[in-house]
Amino acid sequence: MAKINTYDLVIVGGGPIGMACAIAAHQKGLNYIILEKGALVNSLFNYPLYMTFFSTAEKLEIGNIPFNCIAPKPGRQEALEYYRNIQRYFNLNTKLFEKVEDINKADRIFTITTDKANYSAKNVVIATGFYDIPIYMDIPGEQLPKVSHYYKEAHEYAFRKVLIVGANNSSVDAALECWRKGADVTMVIRKDEINPRVKYWVKPDVENRIAEGSIKAYFNSNITEIKENEVDILTPNGTVTIENDFVLALTGYRPNLEFIQQCGVNISDDSNLTPEYNPETMETNITGLYLAGVVCGGMETHKWFIENSRVHADMIINNIINNN
């Protein structure tokens, strides 16, 4: 592996928050590099094709570059276009499709090992998001080919019996889109209602479809087993078995907390698994190692998102400058 000169900052993750950190570093004259294991803004790239953001366009802006959008809320395609333009405008020093495998610190210098090279840095930001690891149900049949933890678009589910697990934004969007494309849709919902955080213009739509019987829903229920042509559902009235062609287990995602812990960051021992960091500087218990974006919330992945974590970039870079 090639050895590269020491950077002021290595940024792990080329999503919007990683890019915001790079812009702030560039503006302060720091020598930086972004290391991204996939495409630019890889998580957004893997979102459903026709997803609409909850945030308005101006709240997704970084680098003080306007995000022009005709609709009140931008969609996935518009966001990808915007962040590609950010990359072009700032000519960010970015390595795509290069996965960071290890981060070690010795003598005040970090060594960052990827699947392609080694890097040295005085500081590191981990801004890796949370969309790569599904929260599994751990039930029989979950590994069957007909089960997916990601949803891209509705066409392949048209005219088929589709079961959707969950009642969050991704589950509700998938249920409505699949139903409108002709699928026979059943939702299995662990609690007794649609998640209150579902987009306010979508929530009444799915509730009305459930009320009229267009989309079937089992509340206070869980899947217990997935079979080739059926699914068993534990409901308040006992186990129900329904015919099924596809299962979309949209049960949420979580950050790679094992990687963060491997880097030496302390993780809380409660169910939230929150990494240790200073909320004023975003620096972890490892001097010079920072967190930015959704990874800061541990399992509380609804706590941080683009809109409210853009500020992490300036907090981090200002702290690095002040410590030099």
Side-chain angles (χ1 to χ4, degrees):
M1 290 187 176
K3 188 74 175 179
I4 297 179
N5 291 335
T6 300
Y7 289 93
D8 294 318
L9 177 64
V10 164
I11 300 162
V12 185
I17 304 307
M19 296 175 74
C21 291
I23 293 168
H26 168 75
Q27 292 172 338
K28 294 292 187 178
L30 297 181
N31 184 20
Y32 73 90
I33 189 170
I34 298 174
L35 301 174
E36 166 56 55
K37 69 182 182 60
L40 189 72
V41 292
N42 195 60
S43 292
L44 302 192
F45 170 70
N46 286 305
Y47 280 176
L49 294 184
Y50 306 110
M51 191 213 76
T52 300
F53 283 86
F54 191 97
S55 301
T56 51
E58 71 275 8
K59 294 181 179 179
L60 301 176
E61 293 174 357
I62 58 176
N64 293 317
I65 302 299
F67 186 162
N68 297 318
C69 179
I70 296 173
K73 312 277 186 176
R76 168 186 172 275
Q77 292 288 80
E78 293 164 302
L80 293 180
E81 184 71 20
Y82 173 74
Y83 293 115
R84 283 197 301 269
N85 286 337
I86 290 290
Q87 173 65 34
R88 289 191 191 99
Y89 181 83
F90 289 101
N91 191 25
L92 300 175
N93 185 20
T94 305
K95 296 283 189 180
L96 301 175
F97 297 96
E98 185 165 347
K99 183 180 180 180
V100 173
E101 297 178 336
D102 195 26
I103 299 173
N104 283 297
K105 186 179 183 183
D107 299 325
R108 300 184 181 181
I109 296 295
F110 291 93
T111 299
I112 300 92
T113 303
T114 77
D115 55 2
K116 296 181 179 177
N118 291 330
Y119 299 85
S120 293
K122 299 174 185 175
N123 302 278
V124 174
V125 173
I126 299 177
T128 47
F130 76 112
Y131 200 58
D132 295 317
I133 306 176
I135 297 174
Y136 293 102
M137 299 179 291
D138 293 325
I139 60 171
E142 189 171 8
Q143 304 305 319
L144 287 172
K146 72 173 189 175
V147 180
S148 177
H149 291 276
Y150 294 90
Y151 168 74
K152 202 69 176 176
E153 61 175 329
H155 178 75
E156 68 176 308
Y157 306 114
F159 316 115
R160 307 294 280 169
K161 296 181 184 300
V162 181
L163 187 148
I164 296 171
V165 184
N168 53 23
N169 277 301
S170 58
S171 303
V172 167
D173 284 347
L176 289 169
E177 287 180 17
C178 289
W179 171 70
R180 292 198 162 96
K181 296 298 185 291
D184 180 348
V185 176
T186 299
M187 298 183 74
V188 174
I189 298 164
R190 184 166 50 89
K191 297 184 178 179
D192 61 359
E193 63 177 352
I194 298 296
N195 192 321
R197 289 194 294 269
V198 166
K199 291 173 278 196
Y200 63 84
W201 65 94
V202 174
K203 189 169 181 283
D205 189 358
V206 73
E207 289 173 337
N208 288 335
R209 303 295 76 75
I210 291 170
E212 71 187 14
S214 298
I215 293 175
K216 295 176 286 295
Y218 291 93
F219 291 94
N220 298 304
S221 301
N222 292 284
I223 296 181
T224 55
E225 185 172 358
I226 302 169
K227 306 169 186 175
E228 288 290 346
N229 301 303
E230 295 176 328
V231 173
D232 291 341
I233 306 166
L234 181 60
T235 77
N237 299 317
T239 298
V240 174
T241 300
I242 65 170
E243 294 182 7
N244 173 259
D245 298 310
F246 291 102
V247 173
L248 289 171
L250 305 179
T251 48
Y253 310 93
R254 67 177 189 86
N256 189 345
L257 298 169
E258 292 79 7
F259 173 74
I260 294 171
Q261 197 166 33
Q262 175 187 318
C263 296
V265 178
N266 295 330
I267 304 288
S268 69
D269 57 7
D270 56 18
S271 60
N272 291 335
L273 302 175
T274 308
E276 181 181 336
Y277 66 92
N278 182 337
E280 295 180 359
T281 65
M282 310 310 296
E283 190 172 29
T284 68
N285 55 284
I286 304 295
T287 302
L289 179 61
Y290 299 82
L291 301 180
V294 70
V295 294
C296 301
M299 294 299 289
E300 293 184 292
T301 55
H302 61 276
K303 189 173 181 180
W304 295 104
F305 35 94
I306 300 171
E307 179 179 323
N308 69 351
S309 59
R310 297 176 297 175
V311 297
H312 293 172
D314 284 336
M315 294 165 65
I316 292 167
I317 301 307
N318 287 338
N319 190 65
I320 290 173
I321 295 296
N322 291 338
N323 288 338
N324 277 352

